[in-house]
């Protein structure tokens, strides 16, 4: 059910609806998928930078490799995912340099 008091925030690249209670909703199937891809990208970047996993279960690295079929190290899979997302029109902020 849609909140009649909710307001859309057009400045966001995703269609997001803000609710008076302080919550928000990402609207539309393509926007939900785009948000999930951004979360996967940031989770994988976290794993590359820290060496830790985001969750107790499956790593973001394993999930990204399985979903996209990428091969290689965590670092190379991260660069492949970024390149793939940019090729599909995602406007990503430049990544901070990774330590060797």
């Amino acid at each position: 059910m849609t909140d009649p008091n909710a307001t859309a925030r057009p400045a966001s690249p995703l269609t997001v609806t803000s609710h008076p209670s302080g919550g928000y909703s990402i609207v539309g199937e393509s926007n939900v998928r785009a948000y999930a891809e951004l979360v996967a990208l940031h989770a994988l970047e976290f794993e590359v930078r820290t060496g830790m996993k985001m969750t107790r279960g499956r790593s973001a690295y394993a999930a990204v490799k399985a979903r996209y079929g990428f091969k290689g190290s965590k670092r190379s899979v991260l660069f492949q995912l970024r390149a793939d997302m940019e090729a599909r029109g995602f406007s990503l902020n430049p990544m901070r340099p990774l330590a060797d």
Side-chain angles (χ1 to χ4, degrees), residues 1-8 17-25:
M1 183 169 175
T2 306
D3 186 346
N5 297 320
T7 57
T17 303
S18 297
H19 303 283
S21 62
Y24 63 91
S25 301

Side-chain angles (χ1 to χ4, degrees), residues 52-63:
M52 297 187 297
K53 291 195 312 184
M54 286 292 291
T55 63
R56 288 184 183 182
R58 192 175 190 194
S59 69
Y61 171 63

Side-chain angles (χ1 to χ4, degrees), residues 36-37 39-41 43-44 47 53-55 57-74 77-78 81:
E37 287 188 72
V39 169
L41 174 69
L44 181 56
E47 289 182 6
K53 291 195 312 184
M54 286 292 291
T55 63
R58 192 175 190 194
S59 69
Y61 171 63
V64 167
K65 282 180 65 172
R67 178 171 180 163
Y68 296 97
F70 297 144
K71 299 200 181 305
S73 66
K74 284 184 184 180
V77 168
L78 173 62
L81 179 59

Side-chain angles (χ1 to χ4, degrees), residues 1-3 6-9 12-19 24-35:
M1 183 169 175
T2 306
D3 186 346
T7 57
R9 295 189 310 182
S12 175
L14 301 174
T15 304
V16 177
T17 303
S18 297
H19 303 283
Y24 63 91
S25 301
I26 298 170
V27 182
E29 184 178 344
S30 63
N31 289 320
V32 171
R33 289 179 193 268
Y35 183 77

